Amino acid sequence: MLDKAFDPATLEARLYAASEASGAFHADPSRAAAPYTIVIPPPNVTGSLHIGHALNNTLQDVLVRFRRMQGRDALWMPGTDHAGIATQMVVERLLATEGKKRQEMGREAFLERVWQWKGESGGTITRQLRRLGASLDWERERFTMDEGLSAAVLEVFVRLHKEGLIYRDTRLVNWDPVFQSAISDLEVESREVKGNLWTLRYPVEGQPGRFIRVATTRPETMLGDTAVAVHPEDARFADLVGKHAILPLTGRRIPIVADSYSDPEKGTGAVKITPAHDFNDYEVGRRHDLPMPSVLDAEARVMLSEIEAELAAVEGVADPGFVRSLAGMDRFAARKAILAELERLELLEATEPHTHQVPHGDRSGVPIEPRLTLQWYCDAATLAKPAIAAVEDGRTQFVPRQYENLFFAWMRDIQPWCVSRQLWWGHRIPAWYGPDGQVFVERSEAEALAAAAANYGRAVELTRDPDVLDTWFSSALWPFSTLGWPEQTAELKKHYPTDVLVTGFDIIFFWVARMMMMGLHFMDGEVPFKHVVIHGLVRDARGQKMSKSKGNVLDPLELIDQHGADAVRFTLCALASPGRDVKLDPQRLEGYRAFATKLWNAARFLEMNGVRVDASWRPEQAEGVLARWLLAKADDAARDATAALDAFRFDDYASTLYGFTWNTYCDWFIEFAKPVLNGPDGPEKDEVRGVAQYVLGQVLRLLHPVMPFITAELFEKLGYGEAVALTTAAYPKAEGQGAASAAVDLAIAAITAIRSARSALNVPAAAVLPLRVGQGSAASLQALRDFAPQIMRLARVEAPQFLADAAEGAGPGASAVAVDVPLFLPLSGVVDLAAEAKRLAKDRAKAEAERAKLEAKLANPGFRAKAEEAVIAETEQRLADAAAEVARLDAALTRISS
RNA sequence: GGGCGCUUAGCUCAGAGGUAGAGCGCCUGCUUUACACGCAGGAUGUCGGCGGUUCGACCCCGUCAGCGCCCA
């Protein structure tokens, strides 16, 4: 016997553990079944499950469970990435509490410590994914730093280098002074900062008393200025172009150049150019062939080595002694000192408050310092071409489609990808340097030594590059490295290309783009995935982004504790409309938890009424109208649910099943079944019991992808089979059960019409009224006869009296209509006839308006001439119906007033 | 400034060139022995504004407005 209420907390852990242990989530390449493959976008190993993960993984799990039930050899590949910066940060913080520093420990010991941390704490998110019910193939769990994946990284790096697609170059990078490493553009976020706009005066060479004024938000970089730029068409400065300015403090002579980068509208119209510390200035520097001295070191402290030689004393303008005093000073302290000195020299003209966007490291939280450094680059522009082509010709499709534009925009303007990071935790770059600095990129130190020996004609000592690769470099290989590449495994053969990548739009550049580039390059031009399903961000009920500072964060694990994993999953699924953010209102969760309870109670009801699972019951044998009606509706639900999932419409999938389960199955079928179940034993009762258990079985299967726990529990408790068996039970298909019986729909219409009339007339709920049935088609009258017990029970009426002719039944009372049959509720004395008259008049007005509208439409010659035949016929039918409705209501009004 | 998206019931959102929908909320009534996490009934929409195409526009086109996101 089922418990009185569904209690998710007591069964989720048990059910999940049983499924995992049963091997139901495990793919097997030796199986004949066609593959279905999703690789999880690898969560960060330091991470824990947030609501965005819950959405992302719910959608993946729904797809995987659905396809698995359809008989596919489903593989959902689990794992995490090593998150270079984040992990290093976590462990360094841990060390700090012990009073230790990474630099003191040395690289080896530090890495050992990171692995130790990973062993102890790196499994958080994978444990949490189990609570969500995610049916990942845990036996295959991978980690980007594990042996196999590291081999893949090595192979890719070496091959790309030999192909000339990886090279070293000195370029401007986003430098994070906290981590002292290059970071990706994508790890930089712009933050609004209240600062100042300072106007500086640079003396013009050879024109005493004349200055060119430049506005800047970063005065400390002026030490590295190598030009002043003005707009070529700016008349104010036309005579200065080609002349020089004397850079204050350093005394350096710098050219005044014409470049359209300078905006005449902004600031003073002249802009200082510091090529080594600003991306725009860097481009200007390249255009004008300017020197690019760096003036800030790895920690963003003032560094003079590249400008020291040119320091010159200029009376009232530059003092080398002052500049030297800045050496080693932090950039913000240097800013203050420089401003003070400029002020003293009367070269600081104005200070205005100014709010502007400043790039910050998303993890360190400090302003990024663009720095000119020697790094390893990957030729992304070349690799991007096949990726763009694959999306253009539809080998990979985005869902929703419009995200392809975002992908194209980024890929067509892609910059060289800086892949080196000045960290310890990560894949160490397989590059060794000879005594003269020549580089040898090989798969191992031995190979590098051999290559060096061949090159120099003798054995030499090599030094290995200390840097590691960007974490995304290894993530980019994830769709094939996890399948065993570079080994040609059975898994790789069967499961690549994968079917779908499910991710948020914010991650298109991180994962999608890079996986596409690497997949196409290394897998013989085969795309890594056929579909990219993009979902929105999870926001709070008011549409605000969740953030710790706002305190509006919803923790999925708490939600699971409160409502059950099924309700959380169903909610996320129902709200996942394509291209929209998910506004998660706790009220919605309550609503879908109620849905789970509803399903539970329906099952309980059947159990209490002697409905038992009968695997031999065949739907084709059902003859009764009610059974056939339910089977046809179940067919529709199966077809619609499947179509929705085929199209990645998770919202439609959820609402189809919500409606079918609650409205069709519980509200109508079960209510119609009650008189039969309470009645005498016999073939009719057997059939109702049979169809009840059969369709409930279908419902459990249909819902299982989104509500794996409650469905498995009911599957087992009711006797359909072991809980774990539902994981691989066949997903229902539309079976061709035909159209739903009109007889049931007519009975439903009759009940609804009578209920509506009763309610409008304030008939006491408990009152049982007489019911007279007027003239109608033979089929309709038969339907009302067949379902008389249901109508009596659900509409609270006496056994219907079928009237012999239209004249009968006249007399005061309420009236209603079910399709083509008038229904009379003689209510003289019981009911407020004036209220009934009012109700009828209102309905009549509505019907008359409809009639008039249709008549006008048909009277339009253009409509007659140009509309499709079928549309005209339909409109005529509707007009006839409306006219009949008006006539019926007129008759009812007449009866009442007589 | 450039690009993309959105605007439909009180809220959150579906929606097809030909009859505007759902869930929640709201109002009313109900211990109808599965379920009050329930049952039944009900109200609410110039489908953002304007113009165009069409026999017919919520839908297609143009334009304006407001909101959001991305990039600069």
Side-chain angles (χ1 to χ4, degrees), chain A residues 207-211:
Chain A
Q207 301 188 31
R210 190 168 180 196
F211 297 90

Side-chain angles (χ1 to χ4, degrees), chain A residues 499-750:
Chain A
D499 287 272
V500 186
L501 183 77
V502 181
T503 184
F505 64 86
D506 50 333
I507 233 80
I508 288 176
F509 312 130
F510 282 115
W511 274 313
V512 181
R514 288 169 182 171
M515 288 175 176
M516 288 287 286
M517 291 192 278
M518 293 300 194
L520 284 159
H521 192 76
F522 286 96
M523 296 300 295
D524 303 322
E526 289 259 31
V527 293
F529 22 72
K530 295 166 202 156
H531 285 98
V532 178
V533 174
I534 302 291
H535 58 252
L537 241 54
V538 183
R539 296 169 176 275
D540 74 4
R542 293 188 303 171
Q544 295 197 297
K545 249 187 199 174
M546 291 188 188
S547 75
K548 280 180 197 152
S549 54
K550 279 187 214 149
N552 62 346
V553 174
L554 290 173
D555 175 357
L557 299 174
E558 273 175 32
L559 297 177
I560 289 171
D561 288 339
Q562 288 162 10
H563 305 286
D566 290 327
V568 172
R569 293 166 58 107
F570 199 94
T571 305
L572 292 170
C573 213
L575 300 181
S577 294
R580 283 220 190 223
D581 285 345
V582 171
K583 285 181 196 154
L584 189 59
D585 186 338
Q587 261 189 351
R588 301 299 299 260
L589 279 158
E590 285 167 26
Y592 292 120
R593 184 186 54 185
F595 175 64
T597 307
K598 185 76 184 174
L599 177 64
W600 183 267
N601 279 304
R604 237 179 107 230
F605 169 80
L606 300 186
E607 191 183 42
M608 291 165 70
N609 280 274
V611 175
R612 295 292 173 262
V613 172
D614 175 3
S616 68
W617 192 89
R618 299 312 320 151
E620 308 78 55
Q621 292 158 5
E623 286 169 357
V625 176
L626 180 60
R628 298 238 51 88
W629 176 84
L630 181 63
L631 289 166
K633 294 281 191 186
D635 242 21
D636 292 345
R639 194 183 49 244
D640 292 349
T642 300
L645 289 182
D646 281 342
F648 306 106
R649 284 301 301 260
F650 303 95
D651 53 341
D652 286 348
Y653 163 71
S655 75
T656 292
L657 295 182
Y658 184 95
F660 176 70
T661 304
W662 201 310
N663 304 126
T664 306
Y665 192 85
C666 294
D667 290 346
W668 291 111
F669 168 70
I670 288 185
E671 293 305 327
F672 269 47
K674 279 177 180 174
V676 180
L677 296 171
N678 291 337
D681 290 344
E684 190 189 6
K685 188 190 264 190
D686 289 345
E687 183 173 281
V688 166
R689 283 177 167 167
V691 78
Q693 62 85 28
Y694 179 80
V695 175
L696 184 67
Q698 303 281 306
V699 167
L700 296 180
R701 290 161 195 247
L702 288 166
L703 281 170
H704 187 252
V706 63
M707 300 187 115
F709 294 110
I710 188 174
T711 52
E713 180 71 3
L714 289 174
F715 195 77
E716 178 161 309
K717 282 271 171 64
L718 295 174
Y720 291 97
E722 280 185 64
V724 294
L726 183 54
T727 310
T728 47
Y731 202 75
K733 286 198 267 251
E735 292 167 331
Q737 295 297 335
S741 161
V744 177
D745 290 331
L746 184 86
I748 288 173

Side-chain angles (χ1 to χ4, degrees), chain A residues 261-578:
Chain A
Y261 162 65
S262 177
D263 181 350
E265 309 287 313
K266 265 195 189 160
T268 60
V271 59
K272 64 193 252 339
I273 300 296
T274 322
H277 293 284
D278 181 283
F279 284 93
N280 291 310
D281 292 6
Y282 179 72
E283 294 304 323
V284 176
R286 279 164 52 122
R287 281 198 287 274
H288 297 275
D289 207 16
L290 300 172
M292 302 189 173
S294 292
V295 294
L296 293 167
D297 68 10
E299 291 174 72
R301 294 177 312 198
V302 174
M303 171 180 97
L304 301 178
S305 57
E306 297 184 23
I307 58 167
E308 200 153 20
E310 293 177 280
L311 292 179
V314 178
E315 181 59 30
V317 175
D319 169 10
F322 169 76
V323 175
R324 288 194 186 97
S325 77
L326 298 172
M329 196 180 281
D330 174 77
R331 53 184 165 167
F332 298 109
R335 177 181 296 177
K336 270 191 197 159
I338 286 173
L339 286 167
E341 176 70 0
L342 289 170
E343 184 148 37
R344 191 182 70 76
L345 296 170
E346 294 179 0
L347 295 172
L348 172 61
E349 181 174 300
T351 304
E352 302 161 60
H354 180 69
T355 301
H356 58 137
Q357 299 291 324
V358 177
H360 283 67
D362 62 0
R363 294 207 176 267
S364 65
V366 304
I368 286 309
E369 192 55 63
R371 279 187 85 224
L372 209 48
T373 54
L374 181 60
Q375 302 279 352
W376 287 95
Y377 285 89
C378 176
D379 181 354
T382 299
L383 292 173
K385 285 198 180 86
I388 293 167
V391 175
E392 278 171 344
D393 63 25
R395 279 175 289 147
T396 293
Q397 287 180 14
F398 282 69
V399 179
R401 204 71 190 241
Q402 70 257 24
Y403 285 105
E404 289 178 4
N405 293 329
L406 194 61
F407 175 82
F408 288 139
W410 197 69
M411 290 294 262
R412 286 177 180 147
D413 185 35
I414 198 164
Q415 300 301 307
W417 173 16
C418 175
V419 294
S420 44
R421 296 289 181 268
Q422 288 65 51
L423 305 174
W424 286 354
W425 175 239
H427 299 102
R428 191 155 174 189
I429 291 174
W432 286 262
Y433 302 101
D436 58 351
Q438 189 173 338
V439 63
F440 300 91
V441 172
E442 297 296 342
R443 288 173 181 78
S444 67
E445 183 165 18
E447 284 179 46
L449 285 168
N455 177 71
Y456 296 112
R458 63 187 166 88
V460 294
E461 290 226 344
L462 296 179
T463 319
R464 185 165 186 181
D465 194 309
D467 291 350
V468 300
L469 288 164
D470 180 8
T471 306
W472 304 103
F473 191 87
S474 47
S475 305
L477 318 182
W478 188 255
F480 52 93
S481 65
T482 52
L483 294 170
W485 190 92
E487 304 296 319
Q488 293 301 311
T489 59
E491 282 82 357
L492 188 67
K493 206 166 173 187
K494 182 164 182 179
H495 290 281
Y496 191 97
T498 72
D499 287 272
V500 186
L501 183 77
V502 181
T503 184
F505 64 86
D506 50 333
I507 233 80
I508 288 176
F509 312 130
F510 282 115
W511 274 313
V512 181
R514 288 169 182 171
M515 288 175 176
M516 288 287 286
M517 291 192 278
M518 293 300 194
L520 284 159
H521 192 76
F522 286 96
M523 296 300 295
D524 303 322
E526 289 259 31
V527 293
F529 22 72
K530 295 166 202 156
H531 285 98
V532 178
V533 174
I534 302 291
H535 58 252
L537 241 54
V538 183
R539 296 169 176 275
D540 74 4
R542 293 188 303 171
Q544 295 197 297
K545 249 187 199 174
M546 291 188 188
S547 75
K548 280 180 197 152
S549 54
K550 279 187 214 149
N552 62 346
V553 174
L554 290 173
D555 175 357
L557 299 174
E558 273 175 32
L559 297 177
I560 289 171
D561 288 339
Q562 288 162 10
H563 305 286
D566 290 327
V568 172
R569 293 166 58 107
F570 199 94
T571 305
L572 292 170
C573 213
L575 300 181
S577 294

Side-chain angles (χ1 to χ4, degrees), chain A residues 112 164 513:
Chain A
E112 215 167 282

Side-chain angles (χ1 to χ4, degrees), chain A residues 44 46 82-91 179 363 423 425 471:
Chain A
N44 177 334
T46 65
H82 65 277
I85 288 183
T87 308
Q88 187 159 319
M89 198 164 82
V90 165
V91 177
F179 297 116
R363 294 207 176 267
L423 305 174
W425 175 239
T471 306

Side-chain angles (χ1 to χ4, degrees), chain A residues 182-295:
Chain A
I183 65 172
S184 157
D185 295 355
L186 301 170
E187 289 160 326
V188 173
E189 58 183 32
S190 223
R191 294 190 193 167
E192 197 162 89
V193 170
K194 287 193 181 114
N196 288 304
L197 188 67
W198 288 279
T199 304
L200 314 182
R201 303 203 295 171
Y202 288 6
V204 176
E205 186 191 40
Q207 301 188 31
R210 190 168 180 196
F211 297 90
I212 184 162
R213 294 152 57 244
V214 296
T216 180
T217 57
R218 301 198 56 203
E220 68 279 12
T221 63
M222 58 95 61
L223 300 176
D225 284 2
T226 54
V228 172
V230 297
H231 196 274
E233 279 150 37
D234 193 334
R236 293 173 295 175
F237 305 110
D239 71 310
L240 286 177
V241 173
K243 304 254 172 10
H244 288 77
I246 300 302
L247 185 62
L249 310 187
T250 67
R252 197 157 67 232
R253 185 171 170 267
I254 59 176
I256 297 169
V257 300
D259 194 291
S260 55
Y261 162 65
S262 177
D263 181 350
E265 309 287 313
K266 265 195 189 160
T268 60
V271 59
K272 64 193 252 339
I273 300 296
T274 322
H277 293 284
D278 181 283
F279 284 93
N280 291 310
D281 292 6
Y282 179 72
E283 294 304 323
V284 176
R286 279 164 52 122
R287 281 198 287 274
H288 297 275
D289 207 16
L290 300 172
M292 302 189 173
S294 292
V295 294

